Amino acid sequence: MNWMSNRCVSIAILSRTRKDPAESRLIEAWAQDSDRSEANLRKNPEVSLRFLLGRPLVRAAIDRTDNELGQDYQILTDPNGKPFMQLPSGASGPSMSISQSGDMIVAAATMVGSVGVDIEYHRANRPFESFASYAFGPNETLAAGQSPQALYRIWGIREALS
């Protein structure tokens, strides 16, 4: 697990390419019963585990951003799927973002505005042209057709902004 933090923004990157004992410690220290329940709703065990790692990872990032909050809050999801914190008072907490793809999980938290992170695992067999024409406008589709890296760059920027 890698951390980048300056007390304003904290970013955690977890690579699951090898079995890491930090994963169990992360879940043990930061997962809540609601995280476990929601993870169990996923039919795919790997997706369930990535979810169960993502929530504690963002909780640890929140703690690095504002360690006075403790763990007495809920992480909920808005209608677009973006996680947000709700304090016991009903007020919102720090802005947060979680992204999972392939063997990577990234989480970020900040007290100074909005934050968005996005990662996407490169799959060589992905139909890039049809994907771009479905998701992008004509100019972005043209730019994304230049290379898979261009498609992922445009996709990542759009997702992080949303």
Side-chain angles (χ1 to χ4, degrees):
M1 187 171 1
N2 294 310
W3 284 97
M4 294 173 271
S5 182
N6 64 4
R7 298 291 301 157
C8 290
V9 178
S10 294
I11 300 172
I13 303 169
L14 179 64
S15 175
R16 303 198 58 244
T17 54
R18 64 188 192 306
K19 183 66 178 161
D20 187 345
E23 290 181 9
S24 297
R25 290 193 303 270
L26 181 69
I27 291 171
E28 186 177 312
W30 293 101
Q32 294 185 347
D33 290 341
S34 59
D35 301 330
R36 290 179 177 88
S37 296
E38 197 166 338
N40 288 333
L41 297 175
R42 273 90 181 140
K43 293 180 178 27
N44 181 316
E46 184 59 30
V47 172
S48 177
L49 180 58
R50 280 197 318 251
F51 179 89
L52 189 55
L53 287 165
R55 289 292 173 97
L57 193 63
V58 81
R59 289 178 194 282
I62 290 166
D63 187 65
R64 285 180 179 238
T65 303
D66 184 347
N67 61 5
E68 295 179 16
L69 285 173
Q71 293 190 48
D72 191 24
Y73 57 83
Q74 287 185 298
I75 296 177
L76 305 172
T77 306
D78 74 12
N80 295 320
K82 181 166 175 50
F84 67 95
M85 176 194 285
Q86 186 172 43
L87 300 170
S89 66
S92 296
S95 175
M96 69 181 73
S97 184
I98 307 168
S99 184
Q100 308 163 5
S101 186
D103 292 332
M104 300 289 294
I105 304 169
V106 176
T110 184
M111 295 291 289
V112 292
S114 296
V115 67
V117 294
D118 186 49
I119 55 172
E120 191 65 37
Y121 178 76
H122 174 73
R123 285 177 264 173
N125 62 348
R126 179 174 272 170
F128 295 105
E129 291 170 5
S130 63
F131 181 75
S133 65
Y134 171 78
F136 303 152
N139 291 337
E140 289 175 323
T141 299
L142 183 63
Q146 295 175 4
S147 70
Q149 292 80 7
L151 178 131
Y152 286 125
R153 184 177 58 251
I154 294 167
W155 181 262
I157 290 168
R158 289 177 116 227
E159 258 202 23
L161 287 172
S162 71

